[in-house]
């Protein structure tokens, strides 16, 4: 199960569930906890159950239930029947995951605990190894814990985490790797700041996280780009693996003027496994207004972090708009979707690439407002 991007969707908003399917996220998290008011819980459970009753191939469907000690967990799990996974908030240790495993009974739903939302949970981050075969990863949160200890904020004025929360983030990262599961980075709250999100994702990827949660569809493209190994990284990893394959008895080798040894080989193999899991093109939907232009700009800025030949863009097929796009992109292959009014093409950047697309003409704005294109809510 690929978990680069996990998009939260309020459980009491079935309209957003259908829209989220077009976001490109690897997984949706249908939320029955924080985003649902107490009076709306019954309606939210009904909406989640109805959504899960329909097949949605290509997207993993997770449900965030209420905490185990809330008295609401049993009803939430009944509504989550058929989900691919359960997000467990306020998990205190691996024992909570084992308890949830027992409650799930049959089926193959996986479990993702949010493992840092209470002060006691920080001391249980080393307890998840071997707690359950359903454990898919470990993630953390920087919102509930400050409230629990009376802190005014978990971030500096420039957006960086304060030292206590940097420590908690690191413990989550190492706890997940010690348990042999995916470390998932927490959300980036400022969903309109895609440049800040891009830098945040780059740090997470650098540090060893393999995916991230999102709170808005506009964040998904940036997150997927950041957690998809680039062509250069894949080529380097293949070179490392090939070097050791050609010298099976060697403990250390020289490659491109640098020494490589067993840790480099392990790192290269892990990167290739991630690249293989994420093989195939990614569809980046063009939506309306500033959100659409910001998504395009973010993908362009992420050019060093994504394969140029595996992005798929959807754009209007009106002649004037097509001419504008062809000045910036070289079409490698193209196929038309009948009745959709759009063109799908695998593209690579032209030498005359510029970071921002031109302003939309009135005709183009009218075109992209058509419901046939994947919508993104604000």
């Amino acid at each position: 199960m690929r978990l680069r991007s996990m998009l939260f969707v309020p459980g009491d908003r079935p309209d957003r569930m259908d829209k989220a399917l077009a976001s490109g996220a690897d997984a949706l998290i249908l939320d029955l906890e924080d985003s649902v008011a107490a009076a709306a819980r019954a309606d939210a459970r009904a909406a989640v159950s109805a959504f899960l009753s329909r097949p949605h191939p290509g997207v993993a469907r997770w449900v965030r239930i209420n905490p185990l000690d809330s008295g609401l967990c049993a009803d939430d799990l009944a509504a989550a029947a058929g989900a691919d996974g359960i997000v467990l908030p306020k998990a205190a240790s691996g024992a909570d995951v084992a308890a949830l495993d027992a409650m799930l009974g049959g089926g193959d739903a996986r479990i993702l605990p949010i493992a840092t939302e209470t002060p006691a949970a920080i001391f249980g981050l080393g307890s998840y190894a071997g707690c359950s075969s359903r454990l898919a990863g470990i993630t953390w949160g920087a919102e509930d814990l400050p409230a629990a200890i009376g802190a005014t904020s978990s971030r500096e004025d420039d957006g960086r985490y304060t030292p206590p929360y940097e420590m908690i983030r690191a413990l989550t990262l190492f706890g997940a790797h010690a348990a042999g599961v995916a470390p998932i980075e927490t959300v980036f709250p400022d969903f309109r700041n895609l440049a800040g999100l891009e830098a945040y994702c780059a740090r997470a990827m650098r540090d060893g996280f393999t995916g991230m949660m999102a709170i808005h569809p506009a964040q998904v493209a940036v997150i997927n780009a950041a957690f998809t190994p680039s062509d250069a990284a894949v080529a380097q990893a293949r070179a490392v693996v090939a070097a050791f394959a050609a010298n099976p008895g060697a403990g250390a080798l020289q490659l491109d003027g640098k020494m490589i040894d067993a840790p480099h080989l392990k790192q290269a193999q892990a990167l290739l496994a991630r690249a293989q899991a994420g093989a195939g093109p990614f569809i980046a939907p063009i939506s309306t207004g500033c959100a659409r232009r910001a998504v395009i700009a973010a993908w362009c800025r992420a050019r060093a972090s994504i394969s140029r030949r595996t992005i798929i863009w959807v754009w209007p097929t009106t002649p004037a708009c097509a001419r504008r796009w062809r000045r910036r992109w070289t079409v490698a292959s193209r196929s038309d979707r009948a009745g959709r009014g759009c063109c799908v093409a695998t593209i690579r950047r032209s030498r005359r690439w510029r970071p921002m697309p031109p302003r939309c003409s009135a005709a183009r704005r009218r075109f992209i407002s058509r419901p046939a294109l994947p919508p993104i809510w604000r």
Side-chain angles (χ1 to χ4, degrees):
M1 185 184 297
R2 183 172 57 174
L3 294 177
R4 294 173 305 173
S5 54
M6 305 182 74
L7 175 62
F8 277 103
V9 186
D12 59 348
R13 297 294 300 272
D15 57 323
R16 292 191 175 186
M17 296 178 194
D18 293 328
K19 291 177 181 178
L21 292 172
S23 67
D26 292 336
L28 305 182
I29 302 177
L30 311 178
D31 190 17
L32 292 175
E33 194 207 12
D34 287 343
S35 66
V36 178
R41 283 185 184 132
D43 292 340
R45 292 183 184 121
V48 168
S49 180
F51 182 80
L52 294 174
S53 68
R54 304 190 302 270
H56 301 102
V59 180
R61 302 168 305 172
W62 292 65
V63 177
R64 178 164 73 167
I65 62 173
N66 282 277
L68 292 180
D69 59 359
S70 65
L72 305 170
C73 185
D75 291 338
D76 290 347
L77 288 177
D84 297 298
I86 302 296
V87 176
L88 177 62
K90 296 180 174 61
S93 66
D96 282 357
V97 174
L100 178 57
D101 187 344
M103 295 174 68
L104 289 172
D108 55 358
R110 308 297 296 277
I111 299 174
L112 177 68
I114 305 178
T116 65
E117 294 186 307
T118 65
I122 308 306
F123 301 96
L125 284 168
S127 66
Y128 288 91
C131 66
S132 170
S133 60
R134 295 180 186 267
L135 186 66
I138 301 175
T139 188
W140 72 294
E143 310 305 325
D144 289 73
L145 188 58
I149 65 174
T152 57
S153 176
S154 60
R155 297 175 183 267
E156 304 282 6
D157 292 338
D158 60 2
R160 293 181 296 111
Y161 290 110
T162 59
Y165 299 95
E166 285 284 6
M167 177 195 70
I168 292 167
R169 176 179 178 270
L171 289 174
T172 303
L173 175 66
F174 294 124
H177 281 289
V181 295
I184 305 297
E185 179 65 285
T186 192
V187 300
F188 186 77
D190 187 1
F191 64 85
R192 296 188 186 279
N193 181 10
L194 295 185
L197 172 64
E198 184 184 349
Y200 185 85
C201 292
R203 289 194 297 269
M205 177 72 171
R206 175 202 65 192
D207 292 344
F209 287 92
T210 59
M212 181 177 162
M213 298 184 294
I215 60 171
H216 193 280
Q219 295 180 319
V220 171
V222 180
I223 293 171
N224 283 342
F227 290 98
T228 300
S230 67
D231 281 350
V234 170
Q236 177 65 20
R238 286 175 176 163
V240 171
V241 172
F244 278 97
N247 299 275
L253 296 170
Q254 182 176 336
L255 180 66
D256 298 331
K258 298 179 180 179
M259 295 298 297
I260 57 173
D261 52 14
H264 294 92
L265 176 60
K266 184 177 180 180
Q267 186 179 40
Q269 291 169 336
L271 186 144
L272 292 176
R274 269 201 321 277
Q276 182 63 31
F282 174 76
I283 296 177
I286 292 185
S287 77
T288 60
C290 295
R292 176 188 55 78
R293 292 194 295 273
V295 169
I296 295 172
W299 275 81
C300 293
R301 286 194 299 269
R303 59 193 183 278
S305 304
I306 189 163
S307 169
R308 296 182 180 184
R309 296 177 182 271
T310 57
I311 311 171
I312 291 183
W313 289 99
V314 181
W315 76 84
T317 55
T318 56
C321 296
R323 284 196 298 272
R324 287 184 174 182
W325 276 89
R326 286 169 188 153
R327 285 201 297 269
R328 286 166 175 77
W329 304 90
T330 302
V331 177
S333 64
R334 185 172 66 187
S335 62
D336 295 325
R337 289 183 177 178
R340 293 298 294 264
C342 61
C343 181
V344 180
T346 304
I347 51 89
R348 61 178 181 270
R349 217 173 350 268
S350 71
R351 292 184 179 180
R352 289 181 291 177
W353 171 82
R354 283 185 283 177
M356 278 294 287
R359 291 187 176 182
C360 292
S361 63
R364 186 171 182 180
R365 282 196 296 271
R366 286 195 298 272
F367 182 90
I368 61 179
S369 66
R370 292 180 184 177
L373 290 180
I376 289 182
W377 66 82
R378 292 186 178 277

